[in-house]
Amino acid sequence: QVQLQESGPGLVKPSGTLSLTCAVSGDSISNSYWWNWVRQPPGKGLEWMAEIYHSGNSNYNPSLKSRVSISIDKSKNQFSLKLNSVTAADTAVYYCARRSSSYMDVWGKGTTVTVSS
Amino acid sequence: QSVLTQPPSVSGAPGQRVTISCAGSTSNIGANYDVHWYQQLPGTAPKLLIYNDNNRPSGVSDRFSGSKSGTSASLAITGLQAEDEAHYFCQSYDNNLSGWRVFGGGTKLTVL
């Protein structure tokens, strides 16, 4: 079955760049799905961040658009997220997810990122 | 705060029926965009529970059901069980600005 696995540094310094990768297994990233990033600050709700299609088309949360970028690597069957100028408010569990139609049907287990000096 | 509004908490005794509301606006639920629900057990990733307003993925108990009316949606859980204790999130699409996916703030269900 399809599995998603997030990876990246667990600690990022303030004003730095957060970089995460989501490896997709059991499915081709070139199939007809959108690949998403969703985050969850400690004790809070879910926030949709960005999504990308295998064509390279992407969509972003308007509140993050100036700081976030998403990319896809079809040769490695993975996609990535970069978030610039991070602050403590960006401390969260970051999930990657597959979007089928308009819902997220497959999620990774999540990776915790802490922004601290 | 979240674009979709959910009550922070609900509770019920085993066997009872509870509902969780998800209030939106004319730019999301009221524009007839589909509503989806996710269950998040403690320490785990969200799991799709209901999609396209009222459909259950394979393997989800029929004790869970969804509905939508106007600018709001609801998740109903019947025959409450201890294993249902979790956070529940609604999700839809909002056509403000360039369009984006939006979540509710989440509801903690406590089984008494």
Side-chain angles (χ1 to χ4, degrees):
Chain A
Q1 72 279 21
V2 183
Q3 291 187 315
L4 307 182
Q5 178 66 59
E6 306 89 347
S7 62
L11 181 65
V12 181
K13 292 189 186 316
S15 77
T17 297
L18 181 159
S19 298
L20 297 173
T21 295
C22 180
V24 179
S25 60
D27 190 16
S28 171
I29 207 166
S30 295
N31 283 343
S32 299
Y33 298 104
W34 285 78
W35 303 94
N36 287 250
W37 287 98
V38 177
R39 70 178 180 178
Q40 185 172 33
K44 295 189 178 180
L46 301 170
E47 180 182 35
W48 176 76
M49 299 182 71
E51 64 181 5
I52 192 164
Y53 197 62
H54 61 77
S55 62
N57 287 353
S58 57
N59 298 305
Y60 296 98
N61 184 321
S63 69
L64 297 171
K65 195 169 185 176
S66 63
R67 297 197 294 133
V68 69
S69 66
I70 191 170
S71 60
I72 194 165
D73 187 336
K74 289 181 281 187
S75 67
K76 294 182 178 178
N77 219 44
Q78 64 186 33
F79 61 105
S80 299
L81 177 82
K82 288 189 187 300
L83 182 66
N84 302 322
S85 305
V86 298
T87 69
D90 296 309
T91 293
V93 176
Y94 286 76
Y95 297 100
C96 56
R98 185 182 80 172
R99 179 168 69 82
S100 174
S101 179
S102 58
Y103 50 87
M104 320 282 178
D105 64 341
V106 180
W107 294 69
K109 293 183 177 179
T111 187
T112 299
V113 179
T114 301
V115 178
S116 174
S117 55
Chain B
Q1 60 241 34
S2 304
V3 172
L4 304 178
T5 301
Q6 299 179 234
S9 63
V10 298
S11 62
Q16 285 190 330
R17 178 182 186 271
V18 296
T19 61
I20 297 173
S21 61
C22 175
S25 67
T26 55
S27 62
N28 42 69
I29 298 175
N32 206 31
Y33 291 111
D34 288 330
V35 177
H36 319 295
W37 291 89
Y38 303 87
Q39 178 192 58
Q40 187 176 36
L41 298 170
T44 69
K47 167 194 161 187
L48 181 65
L49 192 67
I50 296 286
Y51 67 95
N52 296 354
D53 301 338
N54 55 16
N55 295 277
R56 287 184 305 276
S58 174
V60 172
S61 170
D62 60 3
R63 298 186 297 105
F64 296 91
S65 62
S67 63
K68 184 175 77 177
S69 179
T71 59
S72 294
S74 289
L75 173 70
I77 310 172
T78 59
L80 208 55
Q81 299 179 1
E83 67 203 45
D84 299 332
E85 188 160 294
H87 281 88
Y88 294 84
F89 296 90
C90 58
Q91 181 245 313
S92 187
Y93 179 84
D94 192 287
N95 61 24
N96 271 337
L97 303 172
S98 55
W100 52 311
R101 315 222 167 257
V102 291
F103 285 94
T107 299
K108 171 66 188 299
L109 167 64
T110 300
V111 180
L112 301 171

